[in-house]
Amino acid sequence: MRIYGVVGWKNAGKTGLMERLVTEITGRGISVSTVKHAHHSFDVDHAGKDSHRHRVAGATEVLLASRNRVALMHELRDDQEPTLEALLARLSPVDLVLIEGYKRDAHPKIEAHRAETGNALIAPGDDTIRAVASDVPLDLDRPVFDLNDTTAIADFILAEVGL
């Protein structure tokens, strides 16, 4: 599987860019999966639901299945957070995996940047960031795209991964 990341600081536009890229790339007939890193505790399950009751009772994994989707929840309990590599190994094969977050990992990435956040760019100190998608013009040593030019960003990513 080919992988490509979208990174940036909070409120930089990562999730919106990811959503638009998935729509654009799958619209071209290319299969895409995504991985999203969260720096906080999250839950996709809710108190009172049977699956939540299974987890609270101590199950390490709870697999929910219906004719529309399958969801696997794995409780880490006291285990270490899995590496990106381990998570990617669990995915079914697709043409491209887009990764939101994991900015310190070595895969190629594009940085989402919004000037209004006041955050410094990550790109100048990170060679794994191959381009920047920004809401303002930037003078950098790598390509800079308009944050909303999804077609050009998708073209760049697909060329980078050979699709």
Side-chain angles (χ1 to χ4, degrees):
M1 285 188 293
R2 294 166 173 100
I3 65 172
Y4 212 89
V6 175
V7 298
W9 300 115
K10 185 177 180 175
N11 297 320
K14 298 179 302 291
T15 302
L17 178 56
M18 286 278 293
E19 182 180 10
R20 293 190 313 274
L21 286 170
V22 170
T23 299
E24 175 71 26
I25 294 169
T26 58
R28 298 180 188 194
I30 297 169
S31 59
V32 176
S33 289
T34 65
V35 173
K36 161 85 170 108
H37 188 257
H39 290 284
H40 48 80
S41 180
F42 69 92
D43 205 340
V44 296
D45 206 3
H46 303 285
K49 297 293 185 184
D50 293 349
S51 53
H52 185 267
R53 292 171 62 190
H54 296 180
R55 286 191 306 128
V56 170
T60 298
E61 290 189 329
V62 177
L63 184 83
L64 293 161
S66 74
R67 64 187 178 102
N68 295 321
R69 71 189 50 89
V70 173
L72 175 63
M73 289 172 285
H74 180 98
E75 287 296 311
L76 293 177
R77 309 268 180 228
D78 292 326
D79 292 343
Q80 294 275 20
E81 179 179 347
T83 63
L84 177 58
E85 182 180 12
L87 295 171
L88 291 170
R90 295 181 77 163
L91 292 177
S92 298
V94 292
D95 298 320
L96 176 65
V97 178
L98 291 174
I99 301 163
E100 183 177 344
Y102 291 95
K103 66 176 144 281
R104 291 176 182 82
D105 285 72
H107 59 281
K109 307 166 190 78
I110 188 163
E111 180 178 356
H113 172 74
R114 280 200 180 118
E116 70 185 30
T117 66
N119 291 316
L121 285 168
I122 303 166
D126 187 340
D127 290 338
T128 67
I129 297 175
R130 307 281 175 85
V132 175
S134 177
D135 64 347
V136 296
L138 300 170
D139 183 22
L140 292 174
D141 62 349
R142 60 201 85 191
V144 176
F145 297 94
D146 182 297
L147 183 58
N148 294 311
D149 191 351
T150 309
T151 301
I153 297 167
D155 289 344
F156 176 80
I157 290 171
L158 294 174
E160 282 267 295
V161 299
L163 286 173

